[in-house]
Amino acid sequence: MPSLWIQNARIIDPASKRDATGDLCVNDAGKIVPSLSAAAKKRARKIDAAGLVACPGLVDIHVHFREPGQTHKETIATGSRAAAAGGFATVVCMPNTTPPADNAGTIQAIKDAAARDAVVRVYPTGCITAGMKGQSLAPIGSLKRAGVVAITDDGDCVQSNQLMRSAVEYAKMFDLPVMDHCQDHALTQGAVMNEGVMSTRLGLRGWPHAAEDIIVSRNVILSHYTGAHIHCQHISSKYSVELIRRAKSRGVRVTAEATPHHIALTDKALASYDTHFKMNPPVRTEEDRLAIIEGLRDGAIDIIATDHAPHTDYEKDREFDFAPNGIIGLETALPVVLDVLVRRSRFKLPKLIDLMTRRPAELLKLNAGVLAEGAPADICLFDPAEKWVYDAKAGQSKSANSPWHNQTLTGRVKTTIVGGRIVFDNGRIK
Amino acid sequence: MPWHRKDLITLEELSLDEINQIHATAAAFKKILGRSVKKVPALRGKTIVNLFLEPSTRTRLSFDMAAKRLSADVISFDAAASSTTKGETLRDTAENIRALGADMIVIRHAASGSPLYLSKILDIPVVNAGDGAHAHPTQGLLDTFTMREHLGDLRDRKIVILGDILFSRVARSNIHALIKFGANVTLVGPSTLVPHWFTDLGVEVSHDLRSALADAEVVMLLRIQHERQGGAHFPSLGEYTGMFGLNKTRASWLNPRALIMHPGPINRGVEIDNDLADGPNSVILEQVTNGIAVRMAVLYLCSGGQPENVIGTSD
């Protein structure tokens, strides 16, 4: 592997509070080094990064790669390519595969596929409950031994408080975070969008934010009671943000994530019943959207994660009630949050990068998200000002279910480096 | 003003002028319905497919009758015996119907937004005959047509819609039309079925039946739709009737000449007493008759007819 000499980049590494224009060097072992020898510089591959930002390869702890079982939507190979195209060097995939990843064998199969096919680092999670049925615990210790970095029934939510209590207590023994999709089922039967003025107008069944708030409250209480770490996924409601903020102020071990779509969109986007805006939890009101942004600003919400959820065009191309939830997001995450948070909400760029690198890596204790000397050279180079039209059908994901298809975005990933190897460069997977 | 719309999906998107055009055209067609020969050749040679993917009796019969009065060929789609039960998508079903040569599709579907979805796929007119809890535009048109026949101008008239508003496409379509006519609309019923979100549409929301009905000039009752609720929105039908059913005592709170309306089917003894449903203030059967004239107007206009060209309408 050749050494890399990245020149004249604006280097942003939130972990070391570095934000300065300069050079970034990677040795032939794929590690970050302070400099290269004169001889090594001669042999190194030079990258002129003038005008670009160099930051740690982005880290997304919430993606759906659909393998095994639904590889017509995505595979670990295509999902990892989409990640690379979006500047992500590390992703954590959800266990709601077919069959669900609730046993060591399936985890091993995922790890084997990742080792064989992935161009970025892919870490598996395991289920909280057997078969994701919410009835009995999955073999959490065996899952940990097999290599999961967290457990979650994402896409679903453990309804039994007793079972959830057991899960978090048991997982704490293995120092394993429990990630929860916060949704009270009884309050959301048949629901397809946020409950409110828009659902009333459109005649669609509403998903009240109270259904999220109740489970977030439950998780706060269980985390406080057991001392376990519970991570609330894709927070969508203002009141949930407030619940988490208050819990943190009391020292409760609750963390939370927000998605680019909940940061950028509201339920007004559903006016024409476009299924590319159908997701779970649903996008909500402007008040909720702004509260999520404030949560990211003051730390109530810890990180940004995409919830990349591929579905084929024919699955999304149908009546709104019957279309599946979810959108892809890996290839658009960075420009979308650059626009909403940096340009429109006055976040500092290092703060944004922190939310997408160091902090998600720390949250799941992944060896990623920093540009420190000796660290694996996972690097994202992006142009924060380049305008481009996103063509979801020409993207790296196997699916194209994106609300940003054909939209002009600002900010574009140019190069993604994983362990010193260039895996994506100028629109192409290497 | 010429008619430009290919489809009729909602009343929300129509201007007051467009609703007036439909009403004027319906008035002309209604005269035809009073003749011994109740048929005109306006849509001769055209084929209309009634794509009813949700159970319906009166709306389907009404569209059938309206199309036949316009001399169109009508094919009614039997959802239970169709490919949709074999998993065929709505897009494929509709594209096949188009390929078979249909000139217009009238669709009823349990999923809100389906007619809009279909209208974007097809190059032929799509008429919404009711989609989920979203819209039932021809019902809103026939209801307001009936009100105007009795009351004339609807501006500042107090109109009450009573019952299961949350799940009612009829309520939504009537609200959009009545607001355009300048009426004062009050929604009343249990708080679980009349959420406060509706105020955003420009109406009042009340859970006090007496004050809501006081001096109202129209009360429109809605059927309690058990099949859509999927849960307990109120304790029992008996309690609903006890709290919100329209009986003689409560009807006395209305303006004495108030119209009693219902889109049907009626749950007699639940939302309304028998005597009132069949009483002198009830215009329920007039609504049914007007439905044919209104649907004739909609089919005629969306297939390219112009209001001023309605043929054979002289007395």
Side-chain angles (χ1 to χ4, degrees):
Chain A
M1 184 159 49
S3 306
L4 298 176
W5 184 10
I6 300 166
Q7 299 170 321
N8 303 311
R10 177 182 171 189
I11 300 165
I12 299 178
D13 180 28
S16 62
K17 296 190 166 37
R18 181 177 179 187
D19 180 4
T21 299
D23 293 358
L24 198 55
C25 297
V26 177
N27 68 14
D28 55 9
K31 305 280 188 195
I32 304 274
V33 289
S35 63
L36 295 171
S37 66
K41 276 184 176 173
K42 273 190 186 170
R43 289 194 306 273
R45 174 165 173 181
K46 297 177 189 61
I47 299 173
D48 179 8
L52 304 185
V53 172
C55 68
L58 306 181
V59 178
D60 187 352
I61 66 164
H62 191 157
V63 303
H64 297 267
F65 281 175
R66 310 299 190 199
E67 185 176 354
Q70 294 187 296
T71 50
H72 58 295
K73 299 176 192 239
E74 194 79 285
T75 62
I76 288 171
T78 58
S80 75
R81 282 160 172 72
F88 291 90
T90 300
V91 296
V92 174
C93 56
M94 295 297 104
N96 61 336
T97 48
T98 310
D102 66 352
N103 62 83
T106 305
I107 298 300
Q108 189 58 50
I110 291 168
K111 285 172 65 182
D112 289 347
R116 186 178 63 239
D117 300 330
V119 298
V120 303
R121 303 178 199 280
V122 177
Y123 292 97
T125 55
C127 299
I128 298 172
T129 66
M132 281 183 61
K133 291 181 178 161
Q135 292 167 353
S136 60
L137 292 181
I140 295 168
S142 303
L143 290 168
K144 167 78 177 186
R145 196 174 292 156
V148 304
V149 295
I151 53 169
T152 174
D153 272 2
D154 180 51
D156 214 327
C157 174
V158 179
Q159 298 297 291
S160 160
N161 296 333
Q162 191 282 329
L163 192 60
M164 188 66 173
R165 179 219 165 137
S166 295
V168 300
E169 273 187 334
Y170 192 77
K172 186 184 169 207
M173 177 169 61
F174 303 107
D175 197 20
L176 206 51
V178 179
M179 308 206 292
D180 198 22
H181 169 127
C182 304
Q183 177 180 4
D184 182 291
H185 288 173
L187 281 170
T188 55
Q189 284 184 6
V192 294
M193 69 173 292
N194 179 46
E195 180 177 284
V197 168
M198 281 305 289
S199 64
T200 301
R201 193 174 278 272
L202 295 172
L204 291 171
R205 194 70 71 102
W207 195 136
H209 68 75
E212 176 175 293
D213 305 338
I214 285 168
I215 299 295
V216 168
S217 306
R218 182 270 304 261
N219 290 345
V220 166
I221 291 163
L222 287 181
S223 176
H224 175 256
Y225 191 70
T226 63
H229 176 198
I230 303 179
H231 175 72
C232 297
Q233 297 173 292
H234 41 45
I235 287 302
S236 67
S237 103
K238 177 182 178 180
Y239 195 63
S240 288
V241 176
E242 182 55 27
L243 287 165
I244 294 163
R245 182 180 288 119
R246 277 188 267 159
K248 283 184 168 177
S249 73
R250 297 196 310 272
V252 179
R253 285 183 72 200
V254 183
T255 56
E257 72 191 29
T259 72
H261 46 276
H262 289 108
I263 294 167
L265 303 171
T266 69
D267 58 1
K268 287 189 175 170
L270 277 73
S272 63
Y273 297 91
D274 185 340
T275 58
H276 289 113
F277 294 92
K278 182 177 177 185
M279 56 276 284
N280 184 9
V283 287
R284 300 197 188 272
T285 65
E286 181 67 0
E287 197 180 8
D288 294 302
R289 190 183 77 83
L290 294 175
I292 292 166
I293 291 172
E294 279 315 298
L296 284 163
R297 195 189 300 278
D298 70 13
I301 298 182
D302 300 81
I303 64 158
I304 293 167
T306 67
D307 192 9
H308 176 83
H311 296 289
T312 63
D313 54 358
Y314 60 84
E315 289 166 309
K316 276 286 194 182
D317 180 22
R318 57 178 318 177
E319 301 93 317
F320 196 90
D321 277 345
F322 305 151
N325 286 307
I327 58 168
I328 57 170
L330 283 166
E331 292 172 74
T332 52
L334 186 60
V336 168
V337 297
L338 277 171
D339 180 46
V340 179
L341 297 182
V342 177
R343 266 182 290 281
R344 291 196 272 143
S345 307
R346 299 177 182 278
F347 275 51
K348 302 284 189 203
L349 189 52
K351 161 88 171 172
L352 171 68
I353 289 169
D354 199 30
L355 291 166
M356 300 179 80
T357 57
R358 181 182 65 95
R359 291 169 74 173
E362 280 183 359
L363 202 141
L364 294 188
K365 302 181 182 70
L366 307 175
N367 183 22
V370 296
L371 294 178
E373 182 182 349
D378 295 353
I379 301 166
C380 168
L381 293 176
F382 67 94
D383 181 341
E386 181 177 330
K387 289 187 187 304
W388 58 296
V389 176
Y390 172 58
D391 179 356
K393 290 169 185 161
Q396 299 293 335
S397 174
K398 213 167 187 178
S399 294
N401 51 313
S402 169
W404 284 284
H405 174 60
N406 270 342
Q407 302 283 309
T408 298
L409 304 175
T410 304
R412 188 169 201 179
V413 172
K414 309 302 285 185
T415 305
T416 305
I417 297 163
V418 178
R421 194 168 81 82
I422 295 173
V423 295
F424 176 79
D425 193 38
N426 276 322
R428 289 173 184 271
I429 295 292
K430 296 293 181 180
Chain B
M1 195 177 81
W3 183 265
H4 292 297
R5 288 184 186 272
K6 171 174 88 73
D7 314 296
L8 178 65
I9 307 299
T10 69
L11 297 186
E12 188 176 10
E13 67 194 354
L14 297 190
S15 66
L16 181 59
D17 278 349
E18 287 174 311
I19 294 176
N20 279 327
Q21 277 184 287
I22 296 172
H23 278 175
T25 309
F29 280 130
K30 190 173 178 183
K31 290 176 186 169
I32 293 167
L33 297 177
R35 293 177 179 172
S36 56
V37 177
K38 302 179 177 64
K39 198 161 179 172
V40 291
L43 297 187
R44 183 185 292 155
K46 303 275 189 188
T47 301
I48 297 175
V49 173
N50 283 334
L51 180 58
F52 275 57
L53 299 170
E54 186 189 56
S56 165
T57 304
R58 69 197 62 216
T59 303
R60 184 154 98 168
L61 284 175
S62 183
F63 269 106
D64 258 16
M65 191 76 87
K68 284 172 177 161
R69 294 278 181 258
L70 294 167
S71 302
D73 296 318
V74 186
I75 296 170
S76 283
F77 188 92
D78 183 354
S82 75
S83 298
T84 55
T85 60
K86 300 177 190 168
E88 186 173 72
T89 64
L90 180 59
R91 173 186 280 273
D92 284 341
T93 301
E95 287 181 340
N96 275 287
I97 290 171
R98 175 68 184 114
L100 288 166
D103 297 296
M104 180 183 280
I105 288 184
V106 178
I107 178 173
R108 165 163 292 193
H109 200 304
S112 297
S114 304
L116 179 65
Y117 168 73
L118 216 58
S119 72
K120 291 176 182 171
I121 293 171
L122 298 177
D123 61 348
I124 56 173
V126 173
V127 173
N128 182 3
D131 62 327
H134 174 225
H136 195 350
T138 56
Q139 184 70 43
L141 288 165
L142 75 90
D143 288 339
T144 47
F145 182 87
T146 306
M147 288 180 213
R148 293 176 80 192
E149 280 192 324
H150 285 269
L151 302 175
D153 189 359
L154 298 181
R155 179 159 295 282
D156 296 329
R157 304 282 194 172
K158 183 177 181 184
I159 296 178
V160 170
I161 305 178
L162 166 57
D164 177 356
I165 314 286
L166 177 60
F167 296 98
S168 175
R169 54 195 171 212
V170 175
R172 285 170 177 78
S173 286
N174 269 287
I175 289 166
H176 290 306
L178 288 165
I179 294 296
K180 289 178 207 284
F181 282 119
N184 296 325
V185 181
T186 301
L187 310 180
V188 61
S191 53
T192 47
L193 293 177
V194 192
H196 64 88
W197 314 109
F198 275 96
T199 55
D200 195 65
L201 301 182
V203 300
E204 302 239 341
V205 166
S206 170
H207 310 298
D208 175 4
L209 192 56
R210 183 160 200 153
S211 68
L213 292 181
D215 298 323
E217 295 182 83
V218 177
V219 59
M220 179 184 297
L221 302 159
L222 298 175
R223 186 170 67 90
I224 300 301
Q225 303 187 62
H226 304 291
E227 75 276 15
R228 288 183 192 279
Q229 290 168 6
H233 284 77
F234 52 86
S236 67
L237 284 178
E239 170 138 331
Y240 178 84
T241 305
M243 304 299 287
F244 292 100
L246 191 65
N247 54 30
K248 272 193 175 162
T249 303
R250 289 164 178 170
S252 71
W253 302 335
L254 296 161
N255 181 303
R257 291 181 302 282
L259 306 179
I260 293 174
M261 305 181 75
H262 197 304
I266 302 172
N267 293 322
R268 288 177 184 266
V270 177
E271 60 255 7
I272 183 169
D273 273 5
N274 236 2
D275 292 352
L276 294 169
D278 303 326
N281 291 44
S282 168
V283 295
I284 294 171
L285 292 176
E286 282 180 50
Q287 291 173 263
V288 176
T289 305
N290 286 337
I292 298 175
V294 162
R295 290 179 176 119
M296 287 173 75
V298 168
L299 297 178
Y300 173 75
L301 293 171
C302 288
S303 63
Q306 293 303 328
E308 63 274 19
N309 297 339
V310 178
I311 48 175
T313 55
S314 57
D315 289 321

